[in-house]
Amino acid sequence: MPPSAAFTQVVQTLFDKDGIIVTAADMSKQPKAEIEGIVVTLFLHRHNEKNVINPTMISLLIDALDTIDTHPMLADNHNKALIITGVSLEGGNDKFFSNGLDLEWMLNSGDSNPGNGSNTELGSDEEITANSDVAFEKARENVSSSTTSQMVESFCSNVLARILVLPFLTIAAINGHCIGAGLFI
């Protein structure tokens, strides 16, 4: 019997916006399941842009992480895992987990010297937690008008830092091209 036939997963879509999708499956309700808990999957499906990291992608990832942090199905369950993966197009020819930073956006951002951004440290876990709500709101407000250095800083502090400190197992299921900054996810 194929592995997929053993599970009758009821998958609930928690977030679906512009090619970023978050689903959750309660594995403890599956027959013959060897694991218990909720498996959350964050799908990167912005293939018209090859899942590049730009202000739009950062804003969408922040929104998706907010959903993971606050959704009632996930909030009270401490036994969960997050899988981040790409979605292949029909026919499976164009598979991009992430094509890295959006070089076209960077060239057109007007930032003539992208290496001159501030190099602020993230601080301790307590400082990140205490300032996270304010930082995330500022990131949403500024992400559309950011320079390259601001975009990279926002990606590192508002997406990567959040993924790194999630209180549960996180897996990057890289299933296609993964270049540059895409490897950090």
Side-chain angles (χ1 to χ4, degrees):
M1 171 169 43
S4 60
F7 297 101
T8 56
Q9 288 187 355
V10 177
V11 177
Q12 182 177 352
T13 300
L14 308 180
F15 179 87
D16 187 350
K17 184 176 177 185
D18 199 17
I20 301 298
I21 304 159
V22 176
T23 64
D26 189 346
M27 299 305 293
S28 60
K29 295 180 180 176
Q30 305 305 318
K32 300 181 183 179
E34 294 182 19
I35 59 171
E36 289 187 17
I38 296 177
V39 176
V40 180
T41 307
L42 191 157
F43 294 98
L44 307 176
H45 189 44
R46 295 178 48 81
H47 286 286
N48 56 329
E49 296 185 3
K50 299 181 181 176
N51 292 332
V52 293
I53 297 162
N54 57 26
T56 302
M57 174 70 102
I58 293 167
S59 181
L60 289 166
L61 288 172
I62 290 170
D63 289 346
L65 289 169
D66 285 347
T67 299
I68 292 167
D69 283 343
T70 61
H71 195 278
M73 179 181 180
L74 305 175
D76 296 333
N77 189 316
H78 299 290
N79 191 16
K80 58 188 168 220
L82 171 65
I83 300 171
I84 303 172
T85 190
V87 176
S88 63
L89 293 175
E90 300 297 322
N93 294 332
D94 290 333
K95 290 178 86 171
F96 286 94
F97 177 80
S98 177
N99 210 20
L101 292 175
D102 187 343
L103 299 179
E104 184 176 334
W105 181 90
M106 291 169 63
L107 291 171
N108 294 322
S109 73
D111 189 4
S112 60
N113 194 357
N116 271 350
S118 64
N119 192 13
T120 59
E121 291 187 27
L122 291 176
S124 69
D125 287 347
E126 293 80 19
E127 292 169 333
I128 291 170
T129 302
N131 298 318
S132 64
D133 292 339
V134 173
F136 297 147
E137 271 313 304
K138 285 182 181 177
R140 273 198 196 88
E141 293 169 8
N142 296 329
V143 77
S144 62
S145 62
S146 66
T147 62
T148 298
S149 56
Q150 290 168 329
M151 178 190 69
V152 170
E153 186 173 331
S154 178
F155 177 62
C156 291
S157 62
N158 297 310
V159 176
L160 298 181
R162 282 182 79 181
I163 291 170
L164 286 172
V165 297
L166 287 172
F168 46 85
L169 180 65
T170 304
I171 302 164
I174 299 174
N175 58 342
H177 303 289
C178 188
I179 301 166
L183 290 167
F184 289 104
I185 297 174

